[in-house]
Amino acid sequence: MASLWAGRFKKEVDSKVNDFNSSIAFDARMYRHDIMGSIAHATMLGETGIIDRKESEMIIQGLEAILDDIENGVLVFDPNAEDIHMFIEAELTKRLGDTGKRLHTARSRNDQVALDIRLYLRDEVQTIETLIKDLIAALCRISEQHLDTIMPGYTHLQRAQPITFAHHLMAYAQMFLRDIGRLRDCNKRMDCMPLGSGALAATTYPIDRHRVGELLHFSAVTENSLDGVSDRDFCIELASAVATLMMHLSRFSEEIILWSSWEFKFIELDDAYSTGSSIMPQKKNPDIAELVRGKTGRVIGDLVTLLSMMKSLPLAYNKDMQEDKEAIFDAVDTVKLCLSTFTPMLETMRVLKENMRAAAAKGFINATDCADYLVKKGLPFRDAYKITGTLVALCIDENKTLETLPLESYQKICPVFAEDLFDAIALETCVNGRTAYGGPSSESVKVQIANMRKALTE
Ligand code: ARG
């Protein structure tokens, strides 16, 4: 079939060029949004009298029929079509003749594609937000079960101070809540209707852009026609928000992988969310978490693709911009896939409390609390710090922990120590004494969970 733009040309495009140029293989997924946009455009063309009202109605019905036929599998995409926009318009013309040809009045594919991506991504952002909310809700539920599950908190991957598993999980919940904030923020700027920008210089037809914006539930219309067709900031912002979210999932995955190892053994993943080895019968591998960590690189790559593709483009539209779709679609598809696998993996994991408790008991993670004990008895912190350091060295020599070193040994180094010391350095005391707002005590984490649940409803 000759192209819709064949008028100026004396030859058909070379078939290789046609394949190279065509985007239908990856933009066909926007068919519904393309049709929604065209219906709004046709409605406005009819209302303003730019085209006959009857014809506007026929176009709308024709587009609705095309949508039905695509969704029921009656109409399949033609791989030779240049893109989804051309495909749908050609199909409409096939069905309606000259009336179909009137749809593209006062419109260009440049503003059409700018509109379609926004419509498409607006829905995707909603889906991603729901998936993040499911993940946060799961974290709140698991945390509630582990308010008193003591584990070592780390810095430099060295045992540092005691926390609870709930506190650790709720740290991720905070990151994911900010990810929702970033998505919403990006949505605010994406919520601007570009149709009517035309190819670049708007149009001489008396169009009503605000009406189209209203029909498609946009809060605003773009203010400058060149910008309206040239802007892909919203793809870059979304890719950046999604890459940040993946970075959080990747850190979490890294911990899942560490915790599943024999060296840590803090958790055991469910059989349904692990895989075996083809040669080593003892293996149970955290492949899901590793894949999430691996796919993070890919999404960061999508962001870099978009930034590099845009960075030297003169205004307004350039065909380079067709490359936006595979990158942003890949970023969005990947994050959806990762979130929907990650959440049930967490929900089904077994938490090995005793191992966490045992690791917490071994690393002198109550040393700060031992020093604080002396401070409470009147010693300056720096002296208390030094005395505790000496005690830790003694424990290491005698193969003891601060909890098992006898009181006499303490008193030899500093006579201020008394029997109440052991209560003060018990891990439960250390955690539950940390009642500062945002701290790991069971009471503080309960507040975190309650606040998080409230934030999810906002
Ligand atoms: N398939 C194109 C894209 O995705 C549509 C816009 C084409 N406009 C043009 N003048 N070639 O960017």
Side-chain angles (χ1 to χ4, degrees), residues 5 21-24 26-27 30 82-85 108-110 113 117 232 317-325:
W5 40 256
N21 202 35
S22 170
S23 55
I24 191 148
F26 50 86
D27 65 18
M30 301 192 300
E82 193 174 317
D83 54 30
I84 187 62
H85 325 292
S108 152
R109 259 187 308 155
N110 297 351
V113 72
I117 318 171
R232 293 293 183 274
Y317 178 83
N318 303 268
K319 191 75 171 203
D320 314 44
M321 289 157 81
Q322 181 166 286
E323 292 287 311
D324 61 354
K325 281 167 223 68

mmCIF file of all heavy atoms in Angstrom, residues 5 21-24 26-27 30 82-85 108-110 113 117 232 317-325, ligand 1:
data_model
loop_
_atom_site.group_PDB
_atom_site.id
_atom_site.type_symbol
_atom_site.label_atom_id
_atom_site.label_comp_id
_atom_site.label_asym_id
_atom_site.label_seq_id
_atom_site.Cartn_x
_atom_site.Cartn_y
_atom_site.Cartn_z
ATOM 1 N N TRP A 5 1.721 9.639 2.785
ATOM 2 C CA TRP A 5 2.423 10.850 2.341
ATOM 3 C C TRP A 5 3.019 10.722 0.927
ATOM 4 O O TRP A 5 3.856 11.515 0.527
ATOM 5 C CB TRP A 5 3.507 11.263 3.339
ATOM 6 C CG TRP A 5 4.317 10.143 3.959
ATOM 7 C CD1 TRP A 5 4.186 9.666 5.218
ATOM 8 C CD2 TRP A 5 5.364 9.362 3.350
ATOM 9 N NE1 TRP A 5 5.067 8.637 5.442
ATOM 10 C CE2 TRP A 5 5.805 8.435 4.319
ATOM 11 C CE3 TRP A 5 5.951 9.352 2.084
ATOM 12 C CZ2 TRP A 5 6.818 7.510 4.070
ATOM 13 C CZ3 TRP A 5 6.974 8.421 1.831
ATOM 14 C CH2 TRP A 5 7.387 7.514 2.823
ATOM 15 N N ASN A 21 12.570 2.360 9.140
ATOM 16 C CA ASN A 21 11.825 3.545 9.522
ATOM 17 C C ASN A 21 10.620 3.233 10.404
ATOM 18 O O ASN A 21 10.185 4.055 11.205
ATOM 19 C CB ASN A 21 11.335 4.195 8.211
ATOM 20 C CG ASN A 21 11.014 5.644 8.370
ATOM 21 O OD1 ASN A 21 11.676 6.337 9.126
ATOM 22 N ND2 ASN A 21 9.997 6.102 7.676
ATOM 23 N N SER A 22 10.100 2.029 10.245
ATOM 24 C CA SER A 22 8.818 1.693 10.874
ATOM 25 C C SER A 22 8.953 1.522 12.384
ATOM 26 O O SER A 22 9.921 0.960 12.895
ATOM 27 C CB SER A 22 8.283 0.394 10.280
ATOM 28 O OG SER A 22 7.178 -0.034 11.035
ATOM 29 N N SER A 23 7.943 2.001 13.091
ATOM 30 C CA SER A 23 7.947 1.840 14.549
ATOM 31 C C SER A 23 6.771 1.010 15.021
ATOM 32 O O SER A 23 6.574 0.834 16.223
ATOM 33 C CB SER A 23 7.935 3.222 15.227
ATOM 34 O OG SER A 23 6.836 3.987 14.765
ATOM 35 N N ILE A 24 5.995 0.464 14.088
ATOM 36 C CA ILE A 24 4.764 -0.214 14.530
ATOM 37 C C ILE A 24 5.059 -1.413 15.428
ATOM 38 O O ILE A 24 4.280 -1.725 16.330
ATOM 39 C CB ILE A 24 3.844 -0.599 13.343
ATOM 40 C CG1 ILE A 24 2.473 -1.049 13.891
ATOM 41 C CG2 ILE A 24 4.466 -1.686 12.463
ATOM 42 C CD1 ILE A 24 1.309 -0.744 13.034
ATOM 43 N N PHE A 26 6.917 -1.603 17.839
ATOM 44 C CA PHE A 26 6.947 -1.250 19.272
ATOM 45 C C PHE A 26 5.953 -0.168 19.672
ATOM 46 O O PHE A 26 5.703 0.027 20.859
ATOM 47 C CB PHE A 26 8.371 -0.890 19.735
ATOM 48 C CG PHE A 26 9.085 0.116 18.869
ATOM 49 C CD1 PHE A 26 8.906 1.468 19.074
ATOM 50 C CD2 PHE A 26 9.947 -0.306 17.865
ATOM 51 C CE1 PHE A 26 9.574 2.400 18.290
ATOM 52 C CE2 PHE A 26 10.616 0.616 17.067
ATOM 53 C CZ PHE A 26 10.428 1.979 17.270
ATOM 54 N N ASP A 27 5.369 0.560 18.694
ATOM 55 C CA ASP A 27 4.399 1.573 19.159
ATOM 56 C C ASP A 27 2.944 1.109 19.035
ATOM 57 O O ASP A 27 2.037 1.799 19.467
ATOM 58 C CB ASP A 27 4.638 2.944 18.517
ATOM 59 C CG ASP A 27 4.418 2.994 17.009
ATOM 60 O OD1 ASP A 27 3.759 2.099 16.470
ATOM 61 O OD2 ASP A 27 4.906 3.962 16.390
ATOM 62 N N MET A 30 0.369 1.383 21.796
ATOM 63 C CA MET A 30 -0.337 2.619 22.163
ATOM 64 C C MET A 30 -1.665 2.765 21.405
ATOM 65 O O MET A 30 -2.247 3.846 21.395
ATOM 66 C CB MET A 30 0.525 3.847 21.855
ATOM 67 C CG MET A 30 1.870 3.876 22.566
ATOM 68 S SD MET A 30 2.684 5.496 22.451
ATOM 69 C CE MET A 30 2.861 5.688 20.689
ATOM 70 N N GLU A 82 3.828 2.266 8.783
ATOM 71 C CA GLU A 82 4.957 3.053 9.286
ATOM 72 C C GLU A 82 4.918 3.157 10.807
ATOM 73 O O GLU A 82 5.937 3.046 11.486
ATOM 74 C CB GLU A 82 4.930 4.441 8.653
ATOM 75 C CG GLU A 82 6.205 5.206 8.866
ATOM 76 C CD GLU A 82 6.206 6.520 8.096
ATOM 77 O OE1 GLU A 82 5.792 6.531 6.923
ATOM 78 O OE2 GLU A 82 6.614 7.531 8.681
ATOM 79 N N ASP A 83 3.736 3.389 11.323
ATOM 80 C CA ASP A 83 3.590 3.419 12.784
ATOM 81 C C ASP A 83 2.119 3.217 13.140
ATOM 82 O O ASP A 83 1.267 3.095 12.256
ATOM 83 C CB ASP A 83 4.158 4.718 13.396
ATOM 84 C CG ASP A 83 3.575 5.979 12.779
ATOM 85 O OD1 ASP A 83 2.410 5.947 12.329
ATOM 86 O OD2 ASP A 83 4.292 7.002 12.741
ATOM 87 N N ILE A 84 1.814 3.192 14.419
ATOM 88 C CA ILE A 84 0.443 2.918 14.858
ATOM 89 C C ILE A 84 -0.509 4.028 14.405
ATOM 90 O O ILE A 84 -1.669 3.763 14.078
ATOM 91 C CB ILE A 84 0.386 2.694 16.399
ATOM 92 C CG1 ILE A 84 -1.019 2.230 16.838
ATOM 93 C CG2 ILE A 84 0.781 3.939 17.181
ATOM 94 C CD1 ILE A 84 -1.458 0.914 16.250
ATOM 95 N N HIS A 85 0.006 5.251 14.337
ATOM 96 C CA HIS A 85 -0.854 6.389 13.954
ATOM 97 C C HIS A 85 -1.309 6.235 12.502
ATOM 98 O O HIS A 85 -2.485 6.391 12.183
ATOM 99 C CB HIS A 85 -0.101 7.711 14.137
ATOM 100 C CG HIS A 85 0.824 7.701 15.317
ATOM 101 N ND1 HIS A 85 0.353 7.645 16.606
ATOM 102 C CD2 HIS A 85 2.180 7.693 15.401
ATOM 103 C CE1 HIS A 85 1.393 7.603 17.430
ATOM 104 N NE2 HIS A 85 2.516 7.634 16.732
ATOM 105 N N SER A 108 -0.933 16.911 13.315
ATOM 106 C CA SER A 108 0.261 16.338 12.705
ATOM 107 C C SER A 108 0.583 15.088 13.505
ATOM 108 O O SER A 108 0.139 14.940 14.645
ATOM 109 C CB SER A 108 1.402 17.338 12.806
ATOM 110 O OG SER A 108 2.637 16.673 12.845
ATOM 111 N N ARG A 109 1.380 14.205 12.922
ATOM 112 C CA ARG A 109 1.787 13.053 13.732
ATOM 113 C C ARG A 109 2.708 13.492 14.872
ATOM 114 O O ARG A 109 2.848 12.795 15.869
ATOM 115 C CB ARG A 109 2.498 12.017 12.871
ATOM 116 C CG ARG A 109 1.603 10.861 12.501
ATOM 117 C CD ARG A 109 2.368 9.805 11.809
ATOM 118 N NE ARG A 109 3.118 10.332 10.690
ATOM 119 C CZ ARG A 109 4.219 9.769 10.204
ATOM 120 N NH1 ARG A 109 4.697 8.668 10.731
ATOM 121 N NH2 ARG A 109 4.852 10.307 9.174
ATOM 122 N N ASN A 110 3.324 14.659 14.692
ATOM 123 C CA ASN A 110 4.243 15.112 15.739
ATOM 124 C C ASN A 110 3.505 15.448 17.037
ATOM 125 O O ASN A 110 3.944 15.073 18.132
ATOM 126 C CB ASN A 110 5.041 16.323 15.254
ATOM 127 C CG ASN A 110 5.927 15.978 14.070
ATOM 128 O OD1 ASN A 110 6.066 14.796 13.731
ATOM 129 N ND2 ASN A 110 6.522 16.981 13.448
ATOM 130 N N VAL A 113 1.802 11.999 18.327
ATOM 131 C CA VAL A 113 2.649 11.062 19.084
ATOM 132 C C VAL A 113 2.982 11.644 20.464
ATOM 133 O O VAL A 113 3.013 10.929 21.466
ATOM 134 C CB VAL A 113 3.917 10.640 18.291
ATOM 135 C CG1 VAL A 113 4.936 11.751 18.178
ATOM 136 C CG2 VAL A 113 4.561 9.421 18.926
ATOM 137 N N ILE A 117 2.016 9.308 23.794
ATOM 138 C CA ILE A 117 2.965 8.808 24.813
ATOM 139 C C ILE A 117 2.524 9.291 26.196
ATOM 140 O O ILE A 117 2.584 8.545 27.160
ATOM 141 C CB ILE A 117 4.431 9.278 24.590
ATOM 142 C CG1 ILE A 117 4.819 9.211 23.122
ATOM 143 C CG2 ILE A 117 5.411 8.446 25.391
ATOM 144 C CD1 ILE A 117 6.166 9.864 22.855
ATOM 145 N N ARG A 232 10.439 15.804 25.534
ATOM 146 C CA ARG A 232 10.401 14.423 26.019
ATOM 147 C C ARG A 232 10.939 14.384 27.456
ATOM 148 O O ARG A 232 11.289 13.325 27.962
ATOM 149 C CB ARG A 232 11.228 13.485 25.129
ATOM 150 C CG ARG A 232 10.680 13.287 23.714
ATOM 151 C CD ARG A 232 9.343 12.539 23.683
ATOM 152 N NE ARG A 232 8.872 12.299 22.326
ATOM 153 C CZ ARG A 232 8.156 13.179 21.610
ATOM 154 N NH1 ARG A 232 7.801 14.351 22.145
ATOM 155 N NH2 ARG A 232 7.781 12.891 20.378
ATOM 156 N N TYR A 317 10.545 18.582 16.138
ATOM 157 C CA TYR A 317 10.598 17.129 16.051
ATOM 158 C C TYR A 317 11.751 16.664 15.171
ATOM 159 O O TYR A 317 12.064 17.266 14.145
ATOM 160 C CB TYR A 317 9.273 16.582 15.484
ATOM 161 C CG TYR A 317 9.284 15.061 15.335
ATOM 162 C CD1 TYR A 317 9.002 14.241 16.418
ATOM 163 C CD2 TYR A 317 9.623 14.452 14.127
ATOM 164 C CE1 TYR A 317 9.037 12.855 16.304
ATOM 165 C CE2 TYR A 317 9.668 13.074 14.002
ATOM 166 C CZ TYR A 317 9.375 12.278 15.095
ATOM 167 O OH TYR A 317 9.420 10.914 14.969
ATOM 168 N N ASN A 318 12.408 15.612 15.575
ATOM 169 C CA ASN A 318 13.392 14.894 14.756
ATOM 170 C C ASN A 318 13.086 13.414 14.903
ATOM 171 O O ASN A 318 12.649 12.972 15.972
ATOM 172 C CB ASN A 318 14.825 15.131 15.261
ATOM 173 C CG ASN A 318 15.185 16.599 15.299
ATOM 174 O OD1 ASN A 318 15.717 17.145 14.351
ATOM 175 N ND2 ASN A 318 14.887 17.266 16.404
ATOM 176 N N LYS A 319 13.371 12.679 13.855
ATOM 177 C CA LYS A 319 13.012 11.256 13.888
ATOM 178 C C LYS A 319 13.747 10.494 14.991
ATOM 179 O O LYS A 319 13.294 9.450 15.446
ATOM 180 C CB LYS A 319 13.278 10.624 12.519
ATOM 181 C CG LYS A 319 12.708 9.228 12.352
ATOM 182 C CD LYS A 319 11.200 9.220 12.144
ATOM 183 C CE LYS A 319 10.721 7.824 11.766
ATOM 184 N NZ LYS A 319 9.446 7.851 11.040
ATOM 185 N N ASP A 320 14.881 11.030 15.414
ATOM 186 C CA ASP A 320 15.592 10.414 16.552
ATOM 187 C C ASP A 320 14.614 10.109 17.693
ATOM 188 O O ASP A 320 14.760 9.145 18.428
ATOM 189 C CB ASP A 320 16.657 11.357 17.148
ATOM 190 C CG ASP A 320 17.534 12.033 16.129
ATOM 191 O OD1 ASP A 320 17.002 12.514 15.106
ATOM 192 O OD2 ASP A 320 18.755 12.111 16.369
ATOM 193 N N MET A 321 13.641 11.018 17.816
ATOM 194 C CA MET A 321 12.743 10.936 18.970
ATOM 195 C C MET A 321 11.860 9.697 18.965
ATOM 196 O O MET A 321 11.307 9.323 19.986
ATOM 197 C CB MET A 321 11.891 12.211 19.052
ATOM 198 C CG MET A 321 12.739 13.408 19.472
ATOM 199 S SD MET A 321 12.022 14.962 18.983
ATOM 200 C CE MET A 321 10.830 15.181 20.270
ATOM 201 N N GLN A 322 11.765 9.045 17.804
ATOM 202 C CA GLN A 322 11.042 7.771 17.753
ATOM 203 C C GLN A 322 11.720 6.737 18.662
ATOM 204 O O GLN A 322 11.091 5.789 19.111
ATOM 205 C CB GLN A 322 10.999 7.278 16.296
ATOM 206 C CG GLN A 322 10.263 5.985 16.099
ATOM 207 C CD GLN A 322 9.952 5.729 14.636
ATOM 208 O OE1 GLN A 322 9.072 6.361 14.058
ATOM 209 N NE2 GLN A 322 10.690 4.832 14.015
ATOM 210 N N GLU A 323 13.013 6.946 18.911
ATOM 211 C CA GLU A 323 13.776 6.037 19.776
ATOM 212 C C GLU A 323 13.399 6.165 21.253
ATOM 213 O O GLU A 323 13.890 5.418 22.092
ATOM 214 C CB GLU A 323 15.284 6.299 19.627
ATOM 215 C CG GLU A 323 15.846 5.930 18.267
ATOM 216 C CD GLU A 323 15.949 4.418 18.071
ATOM 217 O OE1 GLU A 323 16.482 3.738 18.959
ATOM 218 O OE2 GLU A 323 15.484 3.921 17.027
ATOM 219 N N ASP A 324 12.576 7.146 21.586
ATOM 220 C CA ASP A 324 12.168 7.301 22.992
ATOM 221 C C ASP A 324 11.363 6.100 23.483
ATOM 222 O O ASP A 324 11.456 5.700 24.626
ATOM 223 C CB ASP A 324 11.339 8.594 23.190
ATOM 224 C CG ASP A 324 10.046 8.613 22.369
ATOM 225 O OD1 ASP A 324 9.817 7.691 21.550
ATOM 226 O OD2 ASP A 324 9.258 9.568 22.530
ATOM 227 N N LYS A 325 10.584 5.530 22.547
ATOM 228 C CA LYS A 325 9.577 4.557 22.991
ATOM 229 C C LYS A 325 10.164 3.267 23.527
ATOM 230 O O LYS A 325 9.808 2.819 24.619
ATOM 231 C CB LYS A 325 8.587 4.285 21.872
ATOM 232 C CG LYS A 325 7.567 5.387 21.781
ATOM 233 C CD LYS A 325 6.773 5.329 20.514
ATOM 234 C CE LYS A 325 6.615 6.710 19.956
ATOM 235 N NZ LYS A 325 7.877 7.312 19.467
HETATM 236 N N1 ARG B 1 6.510 7.184 14.660
HETATM 237 C C1 ARG B 1 6.867 8.540 14.894
HETATM 238 C C2 ARG B 1 7.478 8.659 16.300
HETATM 239 O O1 ARG B 1 7.290 7.774 17.044
HETATM 240 C C3 ARG B 1 5.684 9.424 14.776
HETATM 241 C C4 ARG B 1 5.969 10.854 14.438
HETATM 242 C C5 ARG B 1 6.464 10.943 13.058
HETATM 243 N N2 ARG B 1 6.497 12.254 12.523
HETATM 244 C C6 ARG B 1 7.212 12.490 11.434
HETATM 245 N N3 ARG B 1 7.149 13.662 10.962
HETATM 246 N N4 ARG B 1 7.955 11.602 10.886
HETATM 247 O O2 ARG B 1 8.156 9.596 16.623
#
